[in-house]
Structures are given as C-alpha cells and as structure tokens.
Amino acid sequence: MNTLNLTLFDLLNAPPDTASSSVLIAQLCAVQLIWLVPALLVVGWLRGSERLKRPLLEAFMATLLALAISYVIGLLWPTPRPFMVPVGESLLEHRATPAFPSNHLTIILTMSFSLLLHIKTRRIGAALLLLALPVAWARIFLGVHFPQDMLGAAVLAASVAGLVGACRGWLVAPFYHHVASRLYRWLFAPLIQRGWVRS
C-alpha cells in the first residue's frame, strides 16, 4: 500500500476523539445519500419525458456495467479495507469485502458522468457529482475505504460512462425503443391512462 494513500487516509479518517454528531453526519452521508440514485431513476421514469428517460436508461446501463467490472476487480485484486489491515478508526460496521474500487462512489459517479454527457441532464449530473464528495469523504472518515478506492471508482466510472455513451446509437437507443419503453408502457398502462405517470 503506497505512502500517499496512507497519508491521505490519516488526514481524512476520524480522530479517536470524534464527536458523536460528526459520526452521525458521516454515517448519513456514507449510507443514506446513495438512495437518491434509485429515487432519481424511479421518479425520472414515472414523471419524466423521453428527453430524461433515455439518458437515465443510459446511465443505469453504464452503472450496471461498472458494478460488474468492479466485482471482477474485487475477485482478481481483493484489496483490504482499513479495518482489515487494521489502520485508523472504524466507525461503521461493514463486511470484510474487497475495498477497491468503492461501489458506492462507482454508482454515483457513473450516473453523474453519464448524465453529464447529455445537454438536457447536465444539471442533474452536476448535482450527483457534488453529492459524490460527501459520500467519498464519509466512507474514508468512517474507516471503510482508502482514498485509492475512491480514485479507482472515479476512473472506472468515467471510463464506463464514456464507453456506453459512445455506444448509445446501437446499444442504448434500440434497447430503449424496443424493450424498455414498451415494457414500461405495458406495466404502467393503467397509471398512464389515469395521467398519474407519463408515457
């Protein structure tokens, strides 16, 4: 483990005398903020227009691919979490799974970078990018990740978002028109007819 990674971890990890209020805020950032991503997907598909649904589908597909690659990386290169070494303070219960790259940050950043590729969703993408900062800080602060795990997530997210974006013409668009939108209209037909959700 390189010196810079450990030095940054020491700077960002919680000191032994951390106030309980700081720990609570960090736990909320580390665990709860991620739920804004599925909420965005659900609300965006139920209430959004095609201009929003297609970028959301692309971002969702990119995120699934990024998580699959993250899983393979974890199998091939199972790097330990700080509490497994052990170093620093551990203030959040977590299973001893491979740390690199951070799945939480991979999800948020892949969604963010993918949405930033579309003019109509750049504000949402920027908001998710800002959201990623407290999540990354909190998971290092609480001792479940090293800074290198966050860097790995950022590189993975940017790479996969760019790759799926480059393939949207033959991958995302046909899947949206022939599968996703048809399935959505079939499942939510009664709600669409009542005007409760958008077609």
Side-chain angles (χ1 to χ4, degrees), residues 81-147:
R81 296 179 184 273
F83 62 82
M84 296 164 63
V85 175
V87 294
E89 295 292 318
S90 179
L91 302 173
L92 181 67
E93 288 189 15
H94 201 289
R95 291 184 301 145
T97 53
F100 183 90
S102 166
N103 282 334
H104 274 71
L105 205 65
T106 295
I107 291 170
I108 295 175
L109 287 181
T110 306
M111 290 288 298
S112 171
F113 293 148
S114 186
L115 293 174
L116 284 169
L117 296 176
H118 299 265
I119 295 176
K120 298 295 182 180
T121 56
R122 281 182 182 163
R123 288 185 179 180
I124 301 174
L128 287 178
L129 190 59
L130 292 176
L131 183 71
L133 296 177
V135 172
W137 160 78
R139 297 188 72 80
I140 299 171
F141 183 83
L142 296 172
V144 294
H145 276 292
F146 286 107

Side-chain angles (χ1 to χ4, degrees), residues 9-26:
F9 176 77
D10 288 337
L11 288 173
L12 296 172
N13 184 231
D17 57 347
T18 302
S20 58
S21 58
S22 297
V23 174
L24 178 60
I25 291 171

